[in-house]
Amino acid sequence: MKHTQYVAREPDAQGFIDYPQQEHGVWNTLITRQLKVIEGRACQEYLDGIEQLKLPHDRIPQLGEINKVLGATTGWQVARVPALIPFQTFFELLASKRFPVATFIRTPEELDYLQEPDIFHEIFGHCPLLTNPWFAEFTHTYGKLGLAATKEQRVYLARLYWMTIEFGLMDTPNGRKIYGGGILSSPKETVYSLSGEPEHQAFDPIEAMRTPYRIDILQPVYFILPELKRLFDLAHEDIMGMVAQAQQLGLHAPKFPPKVAA
């Protein structure tokens, strides 16, 4: 597993996590900035979730506050995890309707981008849509499939997750909008993803699974859902059959340069 400089904060006996004031300041900077950037760009289902979560601006929210809302809307919960977790743990959590949240926040030096998912990425990026039954159903199904999958199959599933839950776009009656948490928690990618610069492809799960990606660059290609309900429908289709087809067809050539070794 990759190494990280970040250490997740431990809760006290009551489950309360005491963050230093400077970290609340980072949260405030991130959320106030990002709420402006996503205006007119985020999909309505995400904005409805933001409305329901009522995230504080002046401090990092406690996981219990998020759990109250998720529990009441879709029966999901968030689970405190260290900075990086293995695939196995990730799938186990999703399969039991628990979304992993690492209880650390990025440093001011890494304000715009960090490779590890921090509490801002997980809560601001992903939790709003976990209040949506369609999105929640797909995420739950994804976890159950991943748990039963082989190591080879999981790599294909990971690409599907990346191209939907992390970096997905969708068409709406009001134009193209963002639903992927990896985009919605990044000011640069929020603007870039909807611009004319990257490639936009109609969503096809097999194609998504065959498309290589890099985690440390702006994505060269995004897949567009016709509507969010497409994920719910996909959850009831033969995803593992699609994995087998994608494996047989093989990967597309990457649309990005290879990573230069440090």
Side-chain angles (χ1 to χ4, degrees):
M1 224 168 55
K2 293 190 194 80
H3 183 68
T4 174
Q5 59 156 332
Y6 290 100
V7 179
R9 297 207 172 270
E10 301 275 341
D12 64 16
Q14 282 70 47
F16 181 85
I17 298 175
D18 190 13
Y19 296 96
Q21 202 46 51
Q22 186 213 16
E23 295 188 358
H24 290 307
V26 170
W27 173 272
N28 174 260
T29 301
L30 290 169
I31 194 167
T32 47
R33 173 176 76 172
Q34 200 53 17
L35 282 169
K36 288 192 190 88
V37 183
I38 65 169
E39 256 178 56
R41 295 185 172 102
C43 70
Q44 191 55 50
E45 292 89 343
Y46 172 87
L47 297 172
D48 293 345
I50 281 277
E51 180 87 3
Q52 286 174 290
L53 285 173
K54 295 186 172 32
L55 298 173
H57 290 196
D58 60 337
R59 62 177 176 83
I60 299 170
Q62 294 293 320
L63 300 190
E65 297 172 271
I66 306 296
N67 281 339
K68 270 188 194 139
V69 180
L70 294 185
T73 51
T74 57
W76 272 74
Q77 297 284 278
V78 288
R80 191 186 71 84
V81 296
L84 293 169
I85 57 171
F87 255 172
Q88 180 69 14
T89 311
F90 177 67
F91 288 122
E92 280 168 6
L93 287 169
L94 297 187
S96 58
K97 292 192 177 179
R98 290 181 298 158
F99 197 83
V101 171
T103 47
F104 72 89
I105 197 158
R106 65 196 72 181
T107 60
E109 294 72 43
E110 290 199 279
L111 213 53
D112 289 342
Y113 175 77
L114 80 164
Q115 289 193 21
E116 306 96 316
D118 71 344
I119 195 163
F120 179 74
H121 167 79
E122 303 292 29
I123 286 181
F124 185 87
H126 292 301
C127 287
L129 271 173
L130 281 171
T131 64
N132 179 279
W134 294 334
F135 185 86
E137 173 89 356
F138 174 71
T139 311
H140 185 213
T141 299
Y142 180 86
K144 289 187 289 186
L145 293 174
L147 204 49
T150 65
K151 194 178 161 188
E152 292 71 30
Q153 289 169 327
R154 283 177 175 184
V155 182
Y156 283 81
L157 287 174
R159 289 192 203 97
L160 179 64
Y161 187 93
W162 189 262
M163 301 300 177
T164 54
I165 290 173
E166 289 293 356
F167 288 91
L169 301 176
M170 62 190 249
D171 280 330
T172 79
N174 302 315
R176 189 160 288 169
K177 304 288 180 190
I178 304 164
Y179 73 92
I183 308 178
L184 289 164
S185 56
S186 157
K188 196 182 272 185
E189 197 122 18
T190 297
V191 176
Y192 165 86
S193 66
L194 294 172
S195 74
E197 212 177 318
E199 194 180 313
H200 295 109
Q201 282 187 34
F203 177 69
D204 175 325
I206 294 173
E207 286 301 295
M209 290 180 201
R210 297 179 63 206
T211 303
Y213 64 84
R214 252 177 70 181
I215 68 167
D216 59 336
I217 56 171
L218 292 167
Q219 300 305 301
V221 59
Y222 298 93
F223 286 89
I224 322 291
L225 290 183
E227 56 176 351
L228 196 64
K229 187 175 176 288
R230 177 71 187 95
L231 287 184
F232 174 82
D233 296 338
L234 179 60
H236 297 270
E237 291 166 18
D238 180 13
I239 294 177
M240 295 317 291
M242 296 175 195
V243 168
Q245 282 184 63
Q247 283 179 303
Q248 209 173 354
L249 291 163
L251 286 185
H252 289 300
K255 295 175 189 288
F256 49 79
K259 198 171 177 176
V260 180

